[in-house]
Amino acid sequence: AQKVTQAQTEISVVEKEDVTLDCVYETRDTTYYLFWYKQPPSGELVFLIRRNSFDEQNEISGRYSWNFQKSTSSFNFTITASQVVDSAVYFCALSGSSNTGKLIFGQGTTLQVKP
Amino acid sequence: DAGVIQSPRHEVTEMGQEVTLRCKPISGHDYLFWYRQTMMRGLELLIYFNNNVPIDDSGMPEDRFSAKMPNASFSTLKIQPSEPRDSAVYFCASSLAGEANYGYTFGSGTRLTVV
């Protein structure tokens, strides 16, 4: 069975602090894909990143960075110098080897960035 | 591209009424997904289609729920009769099989309230 666990339900930080959102996954597939989505207060789901299981390189995009470690089945997301606009619910998701997008979502982490 | 378009954005209906949610996927995408988001269960896949054919409807909660995709540019999710516990945000998403670095695009969602 596939499962995604986001143990942090809510995180509150002050603007400019760095924050890491944890994601741990379970799958028996050898080929799989991991995702992060952002859901701002307006409600839409915004794609942030997709990573396949053969690519363990860390990724950086502006203030965002992702750390993928197969050894610990983790795909953590760090926001550097957080801003109020980063306040949202963040979801980690997993898709198995079919790559058709049957996403298994974690429960989400609500991030509040205070000014 | 206009993205995945869902209608209506908000729907309020009385228990027992039929509700139809609509989705227009991104042109050229060959997969379409319906997800439901609730506080209790988070984001869960209801059904998905490939080339207009339903592939997996194991997430459809009951016979009251049905989904169709009569052509590549349109899908509906129908609830008949609706119940208060169906209140949720329903998301439609589409994707293109085999894409290497692209996320799955979600619509803005339909917020359904059954009173």
Side-chain angles (χ1 to χ4, degrees):
Chain A
Q2 298 183 333
K3 185 180 178 181
V4 176
T5 301
Q6 294 179 255
Q8 304 150 307
T9 305
E10 293 184 18
I11 301 176
S12 182
V13 299
V14 177
E15 207 169 19
K16 297 185 183 176
E17 285 185 14
D18 298 347
V19 58
T20 295
L21 310 181
D22 297 333
C23 173
V24 174
Y25 63 91
E26 296 175 28
T27 181
R28 293 179 182 167
D29 292 337
T30 54
T31 302
Y32 52 89
Y33 300 84
L34 296 164
F35 302 79
W36 276 94
Y37 281 86
K38 174 182 180 180
Q39 188 173 40
S42 52
E44 71 270 28
L45 284 161
V46 179
F47 165 77
L48 295 179
I49 190 171
R50 162 180 159 151
R51 176 65 79 222
N52 75 55
S53 52
F54 297 107
D55 182 1
E56 285 194 73
Q57 276 193 330
N58 291 332
E59 174 110 2
I60 297 175
S61 177
R63 298 184 296 107
Y64 295 171
S65 62
W66 291 269
N67 184 348
F68 176 29
Q69 291 195 333
K70 287 180 76 171
S71 60
T72 56
S73 297
S74 65
F75 187 44
N76 297 336
F77 173 30
T78 298
I79 301 175
T80 303
S82 60
Q83 299 176 2
V84 173
V85 293
D86 296 327
S87 297
V89 182
Y90 290 87
F91 292 95
C92 181
L94 166 71
S95 176
S97 23
S98 66
N99 92 325
T100 59
K102 187 175 179 178
L103 293 172
I104 306 299
F105 283 89
Q107 285 299 102
T109 297
T110 300
L111 173 65
Q112 183 181 31
V113 181
K114 299 177 181 177
Chain B
D1 197 320
V4 177
I5 299 173
Q6 290 186 247
S7 64
R9 287 297 307 274
H10 302 274
E11 176 80 40
V12 179
T13 190
E14 291 185 349
M15 184 174 63
Q17 295 298 307
E18 177 181 295
V19 176
T20 300
L21 311 181
R22 297 172 176 79
C23 175
K24 177 179 169 56
I26 290 175
S27 178
H29 279 192
D30 50 1
Y31 283 87
L32 183 139
F33 309 85
W34 283 99
Y35 285 84
R36 179 172 69 173
Q37 185 178 29
T38 60
M39 290 295 293
M40 291 298 295
R41 300 176 65 89
L43 276 157
E44 52 182 344
L45 177 68
L46 300 178
I47 185 172
Y48 78 93
F49 296 83
N50 176 219
N51 291 323
N52 314 338
V53 177
I55 303 300
D56 184 350
D57 65 355
S58 59
M60 296 285 264
E62 301 171 34
D63 291 345
R64 299 184 296 107
F65 285 70
S66 63
K68 294 182 180 179
M69 193 165 185
N71 56 63
S73 59
F74 184 65
S75 177
T76 59
L77 178 67
K78 185 178 294 186
I79 308 172
Q80 166 62 23
S82 58
E83 296 182 2
R85 59 191 167 125
D86 301 330
S87 298
V89 180
Y90 291 81
F91 287 100
C92 177
S94 70
S95 73
L96 185 61
E99 280 200 296
N101 293 304
Y102 200 74
Y104 302 94
T105 306
F106 283 81
S108 299
T110 294
R111 182 174 295 277
L112 174 64
T113 303
V114 183
V115 298

